[in-house]
Amino acid sequence: MGRFSSSTLQIPETSRVPRHVAIIMDGNGRWAKKRFLPRVAGHRRGLEAVREAVRLSTQFGVQYLTLFAFSSENWRRPPEEVSFLMNLFVYALEKEVAELHENGIRLKVVGDLSPLDASIVRLVRESEALTADNPGLTLTIAANYGGRWDIMQAVNRMTQAHPEKDGLYTEQDLAPWLAMRYAPEPDLFIRTGGEQRISNFLLWQLAYTELYFTDTLWPDFDARTYLSAIHSYRKRERRFGRTSEQLTQDPQELPAERTVVPVVGG
Ligand code: IPE
Ligand code: IPE
Ligand code: MG
């Protein structure tokens, strides 16, 4: 089992600053359209917003920032836009990794990299290796990522590794095979661009994440939007299945996790 247990098995620690923020960066196309610019101009500006999100996360004390850059469904877009996004990804890696490294940021890329050019995969692995031991923010870029892909690749690898457990796998058995095994589950999910859906992002990991949706388009994401999300997060009561009254009780008085209380007359 990994360092972090699942929120359905163990109640995670919560704090005023979300430890892990996961963002669906949506609205680049609409940002561009409003300005009579091509969609790709929105993606270019979106990269500026990524820089800002990284800077602010470090400033706020967020430890893990996960950004959805390209979904397994985004291949359905016009080929020119797909190529532009791939090129932008390579450009960003080449241009930014040295600075990320200087700032002590650890870079990770999750997703199915198998359809990407070998040169891109090499660049990704080199960037990850360079920054692997950095003590600061862990920045994860989800590229050709899909939540269902993640669950299935984990199931496939888990069952191959432990065929003897046939039919008796648990949540703990799956955890070390998931793409984001190195991170706690997200505390706060933000989606910009006004849509209120998960779009096949971290399906398993979002089980108990606080969700925040904003109409702000991704290229306009700034400290104000980020702080609004964090303020909203602070007002939430994270119960993880318990009652509100239990949260104010002395932890000593609480029943142990997974205690089964027999139902009287049941
Ligand atoms: C998000 O912006 C960026 C990616 C999906 C890569 P969109 O390109 O989806 O922007 P809208 O939703 O069309 O405005
Ligand atoms: C989700 O945005 C994927 C990324 C931000 C990378 P989309 O704009 O592709 O989402 P849908 O398809 O409209 O739900
Ligand atoms: Mg979109």
Side-chain angles (χ1 to χ4, degrees):
M1 196 169 125
R3 208 149 47 93
F4 301 106
S5 181
S6 107
S7 55
T8 47
L9 295 180
Q10 238 168 36
I11 298 164
E13 268 177 51
T14 57
S15 55
R16 278 174 63 73
V17 176
R19 193 158 53 148
H20 182 176
V21 177
I23 308 183
I24 297 190
M25 312 182 285
D26 197 17
N28 293 351
R30 278 162 287 163
W31 181 92
K33 197 171 175 189
K34 272 193 351 198
R35 289 163 178 78
F36 306 100
L37 294 169
R39 291 180 55 82
V40 295
H43 297 318
R44 212 178 278 124
R45 279 300 288 265
L47 180 57
E48 304 285 322
V50 168
R51 280 194 202 104
E52 187 65 356
V54 170
R55 194 182 66 78
L56 292 168
S57 296
T58 303
Q59 189 184 319
F60 297 159
V62 169
Q63 293 171 40
Y64 297 84
L65 174 67
T66 302
L67 302 174
F68 205 4
F70 191 88
S71 78
S72 43
E73 288 68 42
N74 286 145
W75 296 105
R76 295 174 181 152
R77 294 192 177 198
E80 312 80 62
E81 185 170 341
V82 171
S83 315
F84 184 91
L85 286 167
M86 287 300 153
N87 291 336
L88 190 66
F89 180 49
V90 172
Y91 168 83
L93 282 175
E94 285 176 340
K95 195 161 167 289
E96 307 290 335
V97 168
E99 198 178 325
L100 292 177
H101 187 45
E102 268 170 41
N103 290 318
I105 293 168
R106 174 166 75 135
L107 179 73
K108 295 273 203 184
V109 176
V110 294
D112 179 9
L113 300 188
S114 62
L116 305 193
D117 282 354
S119 60
I120 304 185
V121 180
R122 205 175 320 119
L123 183 59
V124 164
R125 297 301 171 223
E126 283 168 7
S127 309
E128 288 180 324
L130 175 71
T131 62
D133 298 326
N134 285 344
L137 175 78
T138 298
L139 169 65
T140 301
I141 304 296
N144 192 26
Y145 179 88
R148 290 184 180 175
W149 164 82
D150 192 2
I151 294 169
M152 290 318 299
Q153 65 82 28
V155 166
N156 286 327
R157 293 197 295 149
M158 173 190 71
T159 51
Q160 272 163 24
H162 297 287
E164 75 288 353
K165 280 210 173 181
D166 184 33
L168 296 171
Y169 300 98
T170 64
E171 281 183 38
Q172 284 105 320
D173 293 328
L174 193 68
W177 303 100
L178 289 163
M180 294 208 60
R181 57 191 159 272
Y182 54 84
E185 291 171 8
D187 301 295
L188 173 62
F189 160 100
I190 301 171
R191 182 172 185 145
T192 61
E195 311 297 349
Q196 304 202 357
R197 54 180 176 246
I198 305 289
S199 298
N200 199 18
F201 196 24
L202 301 158
L203 297 178
W204 179 278
Q205 297 84 346
L206 292 176
Y208 261 114
T209 302
E210 298 299 329
L211 308 179
Y212 182 84
F213 298 93
T214 169
D215 289 336
T216 301
L217 303 172
W218 178 251
D220 293 327
F221 183 87
D222 59 5
R224 229 180 59 168
T225 315
Y226 204 167
L227 283 173
S228 302
I230 292 178
H231 285 141
S232 167
Y233 169 81
R234 283 183 181 165
K235 286 193 228 130
R236 314 278 178 98
E237 187 175 65
R238 303 195 73 192
R239 291 193 288 276
F240 297 99
R242 296 162 296 178
T243 67
S244 191
E245 291 70 29
Q246 284 177 296
L247 298 182
T248 50
Q249 270 173 31
D250 179 351
Q252 302 288 324
E253 293 169 24
L254 287 173
E257 299 208 7
R258 291 263 156 144
T259 307
V260 180
V261 180
V263 179
V264 179

